[in-house]
Amino acid sequence: MHLHRNLWSAALAVTAATLLASSPAHAGYDTPPEHLLKVLKAPPPPLPSVDPSGQRILLTTSQTYPSIERVARPYLKLAGVRLEPHNRSRHDTRAGYGIPACVADFTLVDIASGRETRVPLPAGACAGPAQWSPDGQRFAFQNAAAESVELWIGDAASGRIRKVPDVRLNPIFDSTVQWLDGSRTLLVKRVPANQGPAPADNSVPSSPDIQQALGGQGESSTYEARDLLASDHDEALFAYYGTSQLAVVDAASGSVRDVGRPAIYNGVNAAPDGVHVLTEAIKPPFSHTVTYQRFANDVAVLDVSKNTSTPIASLPLADHVPVHGVPEGPRAFDWRATAPATLVWAEALDKGDWNVTVPARDRVLMLSAPFTGKPVEIARTTQRFDGFDWTEQPGVAFLNEDDENRHWRHTSIVDIDDPRQPARVLWDLSSDELYGDPGRFVYRRLPNGAYVVRQDGDAVFLRGQGASTQGDRPFLDRLDLATLRSERLFRSSADAYEQFLGFTAQPGRFLTWHQSVIDPPNAFVRTLGARDDAAAQGEAQYASSTSQLTRLADPTPEVRQIKKRLVTYKRADGVDLSFTLYTPPGYREGTRLPAILYAYPADFASSAQAGQVSGSQQTFTRLAPYRLMLLAGYAIIDNASFPIVGDPKTAYDTYLEQLEADAKAAVDKAVELGVVDRDRIGVTGHSHGALMTANLIAHTDLFRAGVATSGSYNKTLTPFGFQNERRSVWQAQDVYIKASPFFYADRIKRPLLLVHGEDDANPGTEPIQSRKLFQAIRGNGGTTRLVMLPNEPHWYTALESNQQLVYEMLGWFDTYVKNAPAKK
């Protein structure tokens, strides 16, 4: 049953039960009030990208929301990838959560002069993000045209762009376009010439779909069945659309030369020498149980000058990988950035299973061209290998390890060319640690295209979020590798949020991206001055002068009237918590408002990290759909801390108790501040936050109503783990049931709105989750409403869908929270 758009006003005067019993069929998408709609449609701020030479910035502005017409285009679901067959463009992002956003505008900014050059995109273009050439003189991007995905190359000095003729890209498995041999050429995956038509489907099944298990454990993530292969025809389509021809494109002339043979290339990665290319090619038989990332594949190195290929490894189907584990055999192949053509990879020593106790979990191997010798073992890691960061000095690299069992990370400084040199510990800390996070390395791109950690003599640079008890204050540090001591070059002021972007071509200068509550994001140039020995702890130890480079305008000045502040408090057991409190335009202190709490529970191994403040109250305020309720007179208790604290192996034993304690602490604090009316609070969340929402409605009386979007409400349908719960449902049945509001639907008496995308393929949040919970609540006499958004994945993409979401949320909360009768 559905409520018609005209019934929300009537809902204020009649009971919800009467409405649900008499609601007519619904037609068309609804829209919220115009003042909310205007803000929803406002363009997002551009994303800045500094070219490798430090001479220019490219500002990329994406389309806010595509139309439902675009989102509803026919597409194929092929083993975890979604593809539009009419032009072979991707219908999902790499994470699988929504269709890729089209770039609406590219603007080049000259750093020295501030001159802006708008790039003239072709009419009707759906461009993808641009990729700088290593010398910063060109950029390349893909354009999803009507019949193909095109390759375009731009000139950075003039902004002029041109299409490379006769190249139909095949972006099905990413790594579609990359610079090769420095800035002279590009390596691309293209549709093979003369491939012929796609395999036809005669609609008559050729055989049943048969799967079998012949013993042995086979735990795996739960995938949406509609995205897996399920027939011989699906397999034929996967092979047809997955097959690519590798080609080398001359960036100056546009000439194209095919290299290698057509294959189902998944990963493609060029070596620093510009001659050798690592290829990972998927091979049959194809599984109907897992997605393409687990399919069997052959790893090889292609010599693009000789057109020969050298095999490295043949990897079988990986359909028995433990949850949170890794496949057995060689994995994580990459090139050494400081050598012409040297491969590095890892192999598990614990069968890829975190449950196994071993002295070392991984060994790391290395093999150089011509790749015919025996690999050399260069390291063994106590925990899971997490890659190298290579410096400009060949003998210095950073070896990273990760421990999922403890939420721990370890980084050591190593010389892989001289194993006699002992490793030096650089960092050893919780992966949940925010306040003590040293940051991440600043990179420099070499002329050959390889990325290395930027160095200044014996020092490297670190950029970080700068989390603190007052919120994030991003920083730039210089770390001396001899003493392992850092000095702070820059730290964002407390009344703004300013991030390091990159160094300019002029020594002593760098770029930042500055914003505040009232100032939209803009680029600034900072010049380092003299050292300030009197600087306070944690502040910049060097003075710097600034000049504004870009002057982007505020698209929604009416939003600046919204106020926000950081609020800190404690859970009953002493765990530190926080939220951001937003108040609507024109709010008068002392007035109690209806409020909406938004949160996403997070798992922590220690309470010390669980209570750390993340995010900033100084960012330029933009309104997500639920925040638009501010323009309707609500306060928002935003990003409230909802930690689930404990040993990662057993933390979910107390999930529900901790959830309730988190909610009570947040509500009590918001009421104590004198801003929120305790009797008029709603709750909302997405995905894991939707599970939280439904559980809080079922098990507490803190909230008058809830809105849960794209949630998973019956955890027994993901039997081999969820979030950080590693035990199976057969090992911890009570935990799964207790976390599942489906089994407590008879207790859901407060109104609960359920919204879900019809095409959600996120593991665990299949659309059936919302359908079944709706049926369970309805069958037990509860007040509920189910809104299924056509063609939408886990995150809603179309403008019409987001308009509907805002309309539904506003109507639900107005009816059951703002205008609800007083509690009896």
Side-chain angles (χ1 to χ4, degrees):
M1 297 184 184
H2 305 277
L3 286 173
H4 193 271
R5 70 192 73 182
N6 296 327
L7 290 184
W8 276 126
S9 57
L12 305 181
V14 297
T15 66
T18 302
L19 278 172
L20 289 170
S22 61
S23 56
H26 187 277
Y29 285 88
D30 294 300
T31 57
E34 181 59 34
H35 67 290
L36 274 70
L37 191 59
K38 176 180 179 292
V39 176
L40 179 70
K41 291 181 176 179
L47 296 177
S49 173
V50 183
D51 86 75
S53 71
Q55 299 181 73
R56 300 176 184 88
I57 296 177
L58 182 66
L59 299 178
T60 301
T61 304
S62 296
Q63 183 181 15
T64 308
Y65 295 109
S67 68
I68 189 63
E69 180 182 13
R70 181 183 171 222
V71 175
R73 286 175 185 169
Y75 65 91
L76 301 173
K77 301 175 180 181
L78 301 174
V81 65
R82 296 180 170 187
L83 183 86
E84 297 184 12
H86 71 283
N87 65 357
R88 301 202 184 208
S89 66
R90 284 288 294 265
H91 194 81
D92 58 352
T93 60
R94 181 177 299 180
Y97 291 150
I99 69 171
C102 297
V103 170
D105 180 80
F106 285 133
T107 298
L108 291 156
V109 183
D110 182 80
I111 295 170
S113 66
R115 184 182 70 254
E116 296 188 2
T117 303
R118 190 171 183 180
V119 176
L121 294 174
C126 182
Q131 297 174 249
W132 284 111
S133 62
D135 62 7
Q137 299 305 303
R138 295 187 176 98
F139 57 93
F141 63 91
Q142 304 173 44
N143 178 47
E147 296 182 354
S148 66
V149 179
E150 304 164 340
L151 174 64
W152 288 71
I153 298 176
D155 177 73
S158 66
R160 289 191 294 270
I161 59 175
R162 57 187 171 84
K163 186 179 86 168
V164 177
D166 304 321
V167 173
R168 298 176 62 214
L169 297 174
N170 188 4
I172 184 171
F173 300 123
D174 298 318
S175 62
T176 311
V177 176
Q178 58 192 285
W179 289 94
L180 179 74
D181 190 18
S183 302
R184 295 177 54 250
T185 59
L186 295 118
L187 177 68
V188 304
K189 291 187 199 174
R190 68 169 180 162
V191 177
N194 306 315
Q195 190 182 31
D201 183 9
N202 62 11
S203 300
V204 177
S206 60
S207 65
D209 179 25
I210 300 174
Q211 302 177 42
Q212 66 178 358
L214 301 176
Q217 289 187 330
E219 66 178 52
S220 180
S221 296
T222 303
Y223 299 99
E224 168 56 56
R226 291 180 298 173
D227 274 17
L228 298 177
L229 302 180
S231 66
D232 292 342
H233 183 246
D234 284 351
E235 293 188 27
L237 289 173
F238 178 81
Y240 175 84
Y241 286 106
T243 298
S244 297
Q245 171 66 59
L246 299 182
V248 176
V249 177
D250 187 284
S253 67
S255 63
V256 181
R257 174 173 62 90
D258 287 342
V259 292
R261 298 179 179 179
I264 308 175
Y265 292 111
N266 180 9
V268 176
N269 186 7
D273 67 359
V275 174
H276 295 91
V277 175
L278 175 69
T279 63
E280 298 179 48
I282 295 172
K283 60 184 179 181
F286 305 132
S287 172
H288 292 197
T289 306
V290 295
T291 55
Y292 76 91
Q293 294 93 337
R294 297 285 180 88
F295 285 5
N297 65 90
D298 288 326
V299 181
V301 173
L302 172 67
D303 185 321
V304 298
S305 64
K306 299 177 182 177
N307 219 17
T308 58
S309 185
T310 303
I312 301 296
S314 181
L315 305 178
L317 174 68
D319 60 348
H320 285 62
V321 179
V323 175
H324 293 286
V326 298
E328 293 189 66
R331 72 173 201 282
F333 289 90
D334 202 0
W335 293 107
R336 179 177 177 177
T338 53
T342 297
L343 278 176
V344 177
W345 69 88
E347 295 180 359
L349 299 173
D350 60 357
K351 298 184 179 181
D353 190 348
W354 58 270
N355 286 292
V356 176
T357 301
V358 289
R361 291 208 176 275
D362 285 334
R363 66 172 184 159
V364 186
L365 303 167
M366 186 170 70
L367 180 64
S368 299
F371 311 105
T372 54
K374 184 178 180 180
V376 177
E377 183 177 313
I378 58 173
R380 291 201 171 202
T381 59
T382 304
Q383 301 304 328
R384 193 68 69 207
F385 173 68
D386 199 27
F388 280 106
D389 291 290
W390 306 96
T391 72
E392 297 183 44
Q393 298 178 7
V396 180
F398 302 102
L399 173 60
N400 302 300
E401 303 176 44
D402 178 64
D403 182 358
E404 272 291 317
N405 286 337
R406 292 193 301 148
H407 285 208
W408 208 260
R409 63 188 179 100
H410 179 93
T411 298
S412 53
I413 305 172
V414 298
D415 183 347
I416 64 171
D417 295 323
D418 186 359
R420 295 171 301 177
Q421 296 292 330
R424 289 194 296 153
V425 176
L426 177 59
W427 299 313
D428 187 64
L429 71 163
S430 168
S431 54
D432 297 326
E433 176 63 39
L434 297 179
Y435 296 167
D437 183 3
R440 63 185 188 276
F441 296 112
V442 175
Y443 281 85
R444 185 171 80 86
R445 200 168 184 188
L446 300 177
N448 61 16
Y451 287 91
V452 294
V453 176
R454 188 183 186 101
Q455 285 189 258
D456 179 16
D458 288 332
V460 297
F461 297 93
L462 299 167
R463 57 185 298 178
Q465 289 299 102
S468 73
T469 55
Q470 289 78 44
D472 290 354
R473 292 180 62 189
F475 65 83
L476 174 67
D477 280 0
R478 184 180 185 272
L479 171 68
D480 189 308
L481 294 181
T483 64
L484 301 186
R485 293 180 179 175
S486 293
E487 57 179 354
R488 185 136 295 175
L489 304 180
F490 161 77
R491 189 187 190 194
S492 175
S493 64
D495 61 354
Y497 183 78
E498 189 172 2
Q499 295 174 289
F500 170 81
L501 280 183
F503 289 97
T504 72
Q506 186 173 347
R509 290 191 171 187
F510 59 92
L511 296 163
T512 62
W513 194 240
H514 175 284
Q515 59 187 296
S516 72
V517 175
I518 60 173
D519 299 314
N522 273 290
F524 282 69
V525 180
R526 283 189 170 266
T527 304
L528 284 178
R531 182 181 174 89
D532 180 8
D533 292 325
Q537 179 70 26
E539 298 296 335
Q541 295 169 278
Y542 287 80
S544 62
S545 58
T546 63
S547 60
Q548 187 168 346
L549 181 62
T550 62
R551 300 187 182 279
L552 302 170
D554 183 353
T556 54
E558 61 269 41
V559 173
R560 291 330 116 212
Q561 300 176 54
I562 292 170
K563 306 300 181 184
K564 59 181 175 180
R565 54 175 154 157
L566 174 67
V567 178
T568 58
Y569 54 102
K570 290 182 181 292
R571 203 165 70 175
D573 59 1
V575 174
D576 291 322
L577 303 174
S578 65
F579 59 70
T580 299
L581 181 64
Y582 286 82
T583 51
Y587 173 70
R588 296 194 309 273
E589 285 294 334
T591 305
R592 290 198 179 272
L593 299 173
I596 300 165
L597 182 146
Y598 174 89
Y600 188 96
D603 303 331
F604 294 89
S606 167
S607 59
Q609 283 77 44
Q612 293 181 348
V613 176
S614 63
S616 171
Q617 285 64 52
Q618 304 305 325
T619 54
F620 186 65
T621 301
R622 296 190 68 238
L623 301 185
Y626 70 91
R627 288 191 193 137
L628 285 170
M629 302 303 108
L630 285 157
L631 301 180
Y634 290 85
I636 301 292
I637 306 166
D638 200 24
N639 288 319
S641 300
F642 268 65
I644 307 302
V645 185
D647 186 328
K649 299 177 183 179
T650 58
Y652 273 78
D653 288 356
T654 57
Y655 163 74
L656 198 56
E657 292 81 358
Q658 293 195 61
L659 205 67
E660 294 176 16
D662 293 332
K664 186 177 187 305
V667 167
D668 287 348
K669 187 62 179 181
V671 172
E672 177 191 314
L673 294 171
V675 175
V676 171
D677 181 348
R678 183 182 292 276
D679 290 339
R680 294 188 298 162
I681 306 176
V683 60
T684 187
H686 184 80
S687 194
H688 195 46
L691 173 68
M692 170 205 75
T693 298
N695 270 318
L696 291 175
I697 292 294
H699 297 288
T700 77
D701 60 359
L702 296 168
F703 304 99
R704 299 300 298 269
V707 176
T709 60
S710 298
S712 173
Y713 311 110
N714 182 350
K715 289 303 179 182
T716 67
L717 299 180
T718 54
F720 292 107
F722 59 92
Q723 296 303 109
N724 277 341
E725 174 56 59
R726 292 121 179 265
R727 295 164 295 183
S728 74
V729 67
W730 299 278
Q731 296 169 315
Q733 189 176 94
D734 290 346
V735 171
Y736 278 71
I737 291 175
K738 192 175 179 181
S740 301
F742 175 82
F743 294 104
Y744 299 92
D746 58 329
R747 300 186 186 181
I748 298 178
K749 300 305 181 185
R750 300 290 174 91
L752 181 62
L753 170 65
L754 300 169
V755 183
H756 216 116
E758 287 272 18
D759 278 349
D760 189 346
N762 181 51
T765 60
E766 297 93 334
I768 195 174
Q769 291 275 1
S770 286
R771 293 188 186 279
K772 291 299 183 182
L773 182 59
F774 171 77
Q775 293 171 3
I777 298 171
R778 180 178 178 273
N780 280 283
T783 300
T784 186
R785 174 177 170 89
L786 175 66
V787 178
M788 302 298 295
L789 298 172
N791 304 106
E792 290 291 356
H794 192 59
W795 288 99
Y796 316 141
T797 307
L799 174 61
E800 292 85 348
S801 300
N802 282 279
Q803 290 175 173
Q804 186 75 40
L805 173 62
V806 175
Y807 168 87
E808 296 287 346
M809 188 174 287
L810 179 61
W812 197 257
F813 284 137
D814 274 0
T815 303
Y816 297 114
V817 175
K818 181 191 284 186
N819 300 305
K823 287 184 178 180
K824 296 180 179 179

